[in-house]
């Protein structure tokens, strides 16, 4: 059974859209009528996904986004809204991991995972949320949503990805 949603006229920003779940979320949103803004560091992969979505009759655009850089977040959200209009849906999906035992995690590995998975997700949600709140004051009938993607690993530490699990547990709290 396929469930369809009417997302015509809606703009969705999907972070981490260059692969995996992010790419899948982007395809589903486009298939349901949303104009999709694909965001990631890997722009070439985003361009391939955009071509795939457009070939299927959807509407997609690409913005470069580095979640470890707050200036990049602000610029990407501004570019997305300048080009595609106000963001109605944020799928905050980006995530990175390393595979190592907790006793072997280096500070730079920890900072990279928390910087992307937790800090980056927070500041994307904050930037998009500010804009959504401002629009809601002007047009209370307009609906907007933020969906933060965590992981089942947030509920149970798994071998060799403990820091990833911790970072996604923070996303659950977000």
């Amino acid at each position: 059974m396929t469930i369809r949603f009417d997302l015509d006229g809606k703009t969705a920003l999907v972070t981490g859209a260059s692969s995996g779940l992010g790419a899948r979320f982007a395809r589903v949103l486009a298939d349901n009528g949303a104009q999709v803004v694909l965001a990631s560091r890997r722009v070439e992969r985003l361009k391939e996904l955009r071509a795939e979505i457009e070939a299927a009759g959807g509407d997609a655009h690409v913005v470069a986004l580095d979640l470890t850089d707050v200036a990049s977040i602000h610029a990407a959200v501004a570019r997305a809204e300048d080009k595609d209009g106000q963001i109605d849906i944020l799928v905050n999906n980006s995530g990175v991991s390393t595979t190592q035992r907790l006793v072997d995690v280096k500070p730079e590995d920890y900072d990279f995972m928390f910087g992307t998975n937790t800090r980056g997700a927070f500041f994307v949600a904050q930037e998009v949320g500010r804009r959504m709140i401002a629009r809601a004051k002007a047009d209370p009938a307009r609906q907007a949503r933020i969906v933060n993607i965590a992981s089942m690993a947030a509920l149970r530490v798994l071998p060799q990805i403990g820091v990833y699990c911790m970072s996604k547990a923070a996303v659950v709290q977000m």
Side-chain angles (χ1 to χ4, degrees):
M1 175 159 121
T2 301
I3 298 173
R4 306 284 304 167
F5 298 93
D6 181 8
L7 299 177
D8 288 339
K10 301 289 185 187
T11 298
L13 172 63
V14 180
T15 69
S18 61
S19 64
L21 288 174
R24 177 70 180 141
F25 295 144
R27 287 183 195 101
V28 169
L29 289 162
D31 287 346
N32 283 276
Q35 178 177 348
V36 182
V37 180
L38 311 169
S40 172
R41 288 174 292 141
R42 299 180 293 188
V43 174
E44 288 308 312
R45 286 188 182 186
L46 295 176
K47 290 177 181 178
E48 292 169 12
L49 178 58
R50 177 185 61 200
E52 177 187 326
I53 288 171
E54 289 175 343
D59 187 8
H61 299 97
V62 169
V63 295
L65 172 63
D66 179 355
L67 285 180
T68 65
D69 179 358
V70 174
S72 174
I73 292 169
H74 293 300
V77 172
R79 270 194 308 278
E81 287 203 338
D82 287 346
K83 181 171 176 121
D84 301 307
Q86 54 198 11
I87 297 168
D88 301 294
I89 303 163
L90 167 62
V91 179
N92 211 0
N93 169 72
S94 290
V96 296
S97 186
T98 63
T99 54
Q100 60 211 142
R101 297 174 0 171
L102 287 173
V103 295
D104 297 327
V105 173
K106 296 183 218 69
E108 55 271 17
D109 300 325
Y110 182 96
D111 291 345
F112 178 61
M113 283 183 274
F114 264 85
T116 300
N117 300 352
T118 306
R119 183 177 186 270
F122 175 83
F123 284 110
V124 169
Q126 181 187 63
E127 181 65 15
V128 173
R130 280 184 182 136
R131 293 163 184 257
M132 289 176 168
I133 290 167
R135 284 192 297 273
K137 289 177 181 174
D139 182 5
R142 187 165 184 112
Q143 302 244 333
R145 297 288 184 262
I146 295 175
V147 180
N148 294 314
I149 304 300
S151 170
M152 291 302 296
L155 306 176
R156 181 172 174 228
V157 175
L158 301 172
Q160 298 199 5
I161 60 168
V163 175
Y164 172 82
C165 298
M166 292 165 26
S167 71
K168 288 300 187 171
V171 173
V172 168
Q173 291 299 310
M174 201 169 45

